[in-house]
Amino acid sequence: MDNIRKKMQTLKYETDSMLQSCSENEQLTKEFNDKADQCDCEIRDLTKRISKMEGNLEETSESLIKATTKLEEKEKDMKEKEEDLSTLSRRVILLEDEVK
């Protein structure tokens, strides 16, 4: 009879210990799940920010291409105007020489 009591106490102690361990593990699981949910939210937020930044980058790249094209056109026009100015300056010099 004594052996049965000891065995029952041992089993009760093991059961209580396992229940405590289960409770602790459930708490840890809940904490880790909460942290995982928080990380998921942060990932979603960062993904949205990245998408917006990519859109802004695309718009900025397009604007840069347009501005570069306009700059090239203006530089071409400027070269043409400088050539015209140079031609007119030579003509003026020649005309001044003829007048003298």
Side-chain angles (χ1 to χ4, degrees), residues 19-51:
L19 287 174
Q20 178 66 28
S21 178
C22 284
S23 176
E24 291 171 0
N25 287 337
E26 286 175 354
Q27 181 62 30
L28 282 173
T29 301
K30 183 180 181 292
E31 289 173 11
F32 287 134
N33 284 337
D34 290 345
K35 181 67 175 174
D37 290 342
Q38 182 183 6
C39 289
D40 286 341
C41 288
E42 288 178 17
I43 288 170
R44 246 181 285 123
D45 292 343
L46 290 172
T47 302
K48 287 178 185 178
R49 285 182 57 196
I50 289 170
S51 294

Side-chain angles (χ1 to χ4, degrees), residues 5 13 23-24 32 59 62 78 81 85 87 95 100:
R5 281 189 192 143
Y13 175 76
S23 176
E24 291 171 0
F32 287 134
E59 290 175 13
E62 290 174 7
M78 185 180 76
K81 301 294 183 191
L85 180 62
T87 303
L95 286 173
K100 288 182 183 179

Side-chain angles (χ1 to χ4, degrees), residues 7-24:
K7 184 66 173 174
M8 287 184 69
Q9 282 181 334
T10 304
L11 288 174
K12 183 175 180 342
Y13 175 76
E14 287 177 1
T15 303
D16 290 344
S17 175
M18 287 186 184
L19 287 174
Q20 178 66 28
S21 178
C22 284
S23 176
E24 291 171 0

Side-chain angles (χ1 to χ4, degrees), residues 92-100:
V92 167
I93 290 172
L94 289 173
L95 286 173
E96 285 177 346
D97 286 345
E98 283 181 18
V99 171
K100 288 182 183 179

